[in-house]
Amino acid sequence: MAAVNAVFASPSCSSPISFPRSSSSYRRSIFASHRPHRSGRQSLSKDHSDRRKNDVVEGVSQKRFPGRGKDDRTYLPSDGSRGDAGLSQSQSTVFKSIGTQKKDKGMVYDLKEQQADETGKFQDSAFLNAVVKSRLYKNICEMFREMYLLLEVHKTSSSLWTLLLPHFVRRSNWYLDNSHSMTVDSAFMIGDGKLLTNAHCVEHGTQVKVKRRGDDTKFVAKVLARGIECDIALLSVESEDFWKGAEPLRFGCLPCLQDSVTVVGYPLGGDTISVTKGVVSRIEVTSYAHGSSDLLGIQIDAAINPGNSGGPAFNDHGECIGVAFQVFRSEEAENIGYVIPTTVVSHFLNDYERFGKYTGFPSLGVLLQKLENPALRACLKVSSNEGVLVRRVEPTSPASDVLKEGDVIVSFDGVQVGSEGTVPFRSTERIAFRYLISQKFSGDVAELGIIRDGTYMKVRTVLQPRVHLVPYHIEGGQPSYLIIAGLVFTPLSEPLIEEECEDSIGLKLLAKARYSLARFKGEEIVILSQVLANEVNIGYEDMGNQQVMKFNGTPIKNIRHLAHLVDTCKDKYLIFEFEDNFLAVLEREAAAAASPFVLKDYGIPCERSSDLLEPFIDLVEDKQILNQDIGDSPVSNFEIGFDGLLWA
C-alpha cells in the first residue's frame, strides 16, 4: 500500500491541509458514542453539586428498534502537523462554492463542476451526495454464537457489560430473544472505497449497512479500523454499484474562530438528510468522551443531534473541516457541539497506512504541574517563566528511563513550553502542551529539554500509547471471565464500573481505578464479580466486587495468570486471598467435581471465556509485583473535568 502524504501548511487560519494523490485506501466510519467520560478530576464522593449533576457530554446516535413506527422511536439515552500521509487527490472531489469564493494563495479549488449558487441552492451541492446514512445492526445471535444464546442487547452505556456472562446469571431467568437493535448514524465518503464515521457508532455491531442520499439500496460496509481515543472508524464498501458516480469529500484546513460551519447528517426528526449551520466558537485540546483522551477539537454552535454522529462539517467552500461526534449538555450552557478536526482525522489515517492497523495516539506517560508561582520556580532553580513540573512518571512509559519526579520540562522537540503548560499555536494563539505529543506516532522519538537540580539538559524518549490499568474499552468487545466452583472472576474495567455503579464497586476499587498506574504491560485488577451459590462454596455467597490479590500465596498479575495458576495447581486447597486479608478456600478436588454442576444449574456452556483457553505466557518477573500504589492525583493531565460531555 502506497504511503499517503498529507501536506500541512503552517498552522495559520488561512493555511489549508492538502491531500496529494496516492493509491492508498482508507476505511473509516464516524459515529457518535454514549459512554460517559472519566474525568481526571472526578470525585470519589457522590455529593456533587446540582449544576455538575446535570452537565453531560453526549454522543449523537439515533437508535431505532424493529416493529415500531416513526413516531415511536427510541433514542440512545444521554450519559454522558505532521505531514507525510494524507488523502489521495484522486479520491478528492470537486467542491462547489457556497457564497463568495475565497482566493487565498494557499487555497486552490477546482470549480469547473456544478456549483451551488449564492441564492442558497445548498441542496444541489454535489458534495452532499458523499454523506451517507449508516445503520448498525447488533444481532446477539452472532455475538454469542459460542454460547448458543440469543440475547437482546440495547446500545446503552452499559451494553458491554450486559454482555458479561455473570451479569445474566444474577437474573432469575435467562432472557431469550432473537431480535436485534439498530442505530442510525452518519458517514461520508473519502474515496478509494472507504468511508469515515465515529468509532462509538460501530461498537458491538454485527453488521453495518450504508445508504446513499436519494437511493433506497443498502450496502454492507466492513469495519477496517477503529480509533478509540480519537473516536473515528474506517469503513469499506466493496460493491462497485455503491460508488457509481460518487464524488468523495475533500478535506480543508483548520478553521478560524467565527468561520461558518455547516453540519450534515441524518439526525432524529426525519429520514432525509439534515443541514444545520453555525460558527466556530473555540479550538483547543478537549476531552474526547468515547476514548477518555485529550486531543484537538473544534467547538461549534451549530445544532448536533442524535444521528449526526459521523457526519461531516463543511466550511463555506464545500470542504470537510471535521467530523461531528459529541455535544455538551448543561442547564447553564447551550449550543455547544464538538467536531473532530482534519488534523486528528489525518493522524488516524496516516497511522493506519503506516502500520496496516490503528495503533493509537502516543503518550509521554507523565503527570504534570504548572509553574505559575515565582517561588515554586525559584525553588526548582528555573530562572525564566517557563516549564512544567513532572509529578509522576508512569512505570510502563519509556520516559521512566530518562525522566524523574522533580524534573522540569521546558521544551519539546525545540518548542518552548510555557509555565501554564502551553505552547505557541498558529500566529497569535497558545494551546496545551500535550497537543505536540498528539502529533507524534507510536514509536516516534521526542527530544525533551529539561531542568534537573538547576542544570539544563536534553533527553530523548520513545513515545508509545498509554497502558491503562483499568481499560476504558474491552479489546474484542467481550470481557474475560473465569468461573471456579461458582466463583466468577473478571478484570475490572470502566464498563463494569458503569454497570455496577460506584456504590456497588466500593471506594477502594474505585480509588484504584481513578488513581493507580499500571506497573507493567498486561497488568489487570482481577475481581470476584459474584458467587453462583452451590454447596461447595457455602459461606461465600454474599461476596462480590472484591479484588483477589493472591492465589495460594502467589500475587495475581492478570486474569490469564489466575487461570494458569488454578489449572496447574496440585495443592489440596485453592486459597484465594482478597483485599483486607479476607480468605476464600475451596478443596481442589471438590471444586473440580462441583464446577460442571454449577454450570449446568445456571445454564452456562463454558467455565471461561474463549481468550483464556489459549496457553499462558508469563513475560513479567515476580519482583515487579508489589503492593498496589494508590497515588494522590488522578491518572490524567486534563485539568478541567468535562462531566457533561456526551457522545453525539
Side-chain angles (χ1 to χ4, degrees), residues 351-617:
D351 185 40
Y352 179 76
E353 289 299 317
R354 277 188 173 198
F355 303 102
K357 62 179 181 179
Y358 175 73
T359 63
F361 283 74
S363 168
L364 186 58
V366 296
L367 294 177
L368 305 172
Q369 177 181 342
K370 298 178 181 179
L371 292 183
E372 298 176 276
N373 187 277
L376 177 58
R377 292 198 300 271
C379 178
L380 295 171
K381 301 178 182 179
V382 179
S383 57
S384 57
N385 186 19
E386 62 179 355
V388 285
L389 175 65
V390 175
R391 292 186 294 155
R392 299 178 70 186
V393 184
E394 298 183 12
T396 56
S397 169
S400 61
D401 296 330
V402 296
L403 292 179
K404 300 192 303 183
E405 294 181 8
D407 288 346
V408 176
I409 300 176
V410 295
S411 68
F412 182 92
D413 278 348
V415 180
Q416 296 301 118
V417 180
S419 61
E420 290 188 333
T422 60
V423 294
F425 180 67
R426 303 203 281 200
S427 57
T428 59
E429 303 172 74
R430 295 188 70 85
I431 199 168
F433 157 57
R434 53 190 174 274
Y435 167 73
L436 297 179
I437 303 173
S438 69
Q439 301 304 293
K440 295 282 190 175
F441 290 85
S442 177
D444 284 356
V445 176
E447 183 179 76
L448 304 175
I450 66 172
I451 296 178
R452 178 179 296 168
D453 298 327
T455 303
Y456 175 81
M457 63 181 69
K458 290 185 177 181
V459 297
R460 295 169 64 86
T461 183
V462 177
L463 300 176
Q464 296 288 353
R466 187 178 179 195
V467 176
H468 293 280
L469 177 63
V470 179
Y472 293 97
H473 297 267
I474 306 300
E475 186 176 353
Q478 299 183 26
S480 303
Y481 68 89
L482 174 67
I483 303 177
I484 303 171
L487 276 63
V488 183
F489 297 95
T490 190
L492 183 66
S493 69
E494 281 298 321
L496 177 58
I497 293 175
E498 294 165 17
E499 172 69 12
E500 293 294 331
C501 302
E502 295 182 0
D503 287 343
S504 176
I505 288 294
L507 286 179
K508 280 195 174 182
L509 279 180
L510 193 59
K512 290 184 178 182
R514 299 293 183 263
Y515 292 86
S516 296
L517 301 174
R519 295 160 295 180
F520 55 87
K521 188 174 182 179
E523 182 181 15
E524 294 176 334
I525 295 178
V526 181
I527 67 170
L528 174 67
S529 174
Q530 62 171 313
V531 177
L532 309 179
N534 183 275
E535 61 182 23
V536 73
N537 56 45
I538 189 170
Y540 307 139
E541 301 93 335
D542 295 332
M543 295 181 64
N545 293 331
Q546 294 176 252
Q547 181 182 3
V548 54
M549 310 298 294
K550 297 179 180 179
F551 174 78
N552 283 10
T554 302
I556 294 173
K557 304 171 184 178
N558 49 50
I559 194 167
R560 289 176 179 270
H561 186 218
L562 174 61
H564 171 72
L565 293 175
V566 172
D567 293 341
T568 58
C569 179
K570 303 298 182 183
D571 297 339
K572 182 178 181 179
Y573 296 105
L574 307 179
I575 304 175
F576 300 91
E577 298 181 45
F578 296 89
E579 195 87 68
D580 298 326
N581 297 322
F582 191 93
L583 295 180
V585 180
L586 301 173
E587 189 175 355
R588 179 173 59 85
E589 293 183 356
S595 289
F597 295 99
V598 173
L599 298 179
K600 181 179 179 181
D601 291 343
Y602 287 89
I604 303 171
C606 188
E607 67 176 2
R608 64 187 65 190
S609 53
S610 58
D611 60 312
L612 299 185
L613 298 175
E614 302 174 1
F616 173 73
I617 301 177

Side-chain angles (χ1 to χ4, degrees), residues 182-198:
M182 178 186 71
T183 59
V184 179
D185 295 286
S186 307
F188 61 92
M189 305 174 184
I190 62 173
D192 199 18
K194 306 299 186 292
L195 304 99
L196 284 180
T197 188
N198 287 136

Side-chain angles (χ1 to χ4, degrees), residues 186-253:
S186 307
F188 61 92
M189 305 174 184
I190 62 173
D192 199 18
K194 306 299 186 292
L195 304 99
L196 284 180
T197 188
N198 287 136
H200 70 257
C201 297
V202 295
E203 272 198 314
H204 317 312
T206 57
Q207 188 179 68
V208 179
K209 290 183 178 180
V210 294
K211 184 178 74 171
R212 290 182 58 176
R213 179 190 181 202
D215 190 353
D216 287 335
T217 306
K218 299 182 181 69
F219 298 86
V220 175
K222 179 182 178 182
V223 180
L224 300 178
R226 287 192 308 123
I228 299 300
E229 299 98 331
C230 58
D231 199 4
I232 305 176
L234 186 64
L235 307 181
S236 68
V237 177
E238 296 181 356
S239 175
E240 295 182 358
D241 293 336
F242 177 78
W243 297 99
K244 286 183 179 178
E247 293 184 353
L249 297 183
R250 179 178 177 181
F251 288 89
C253 64

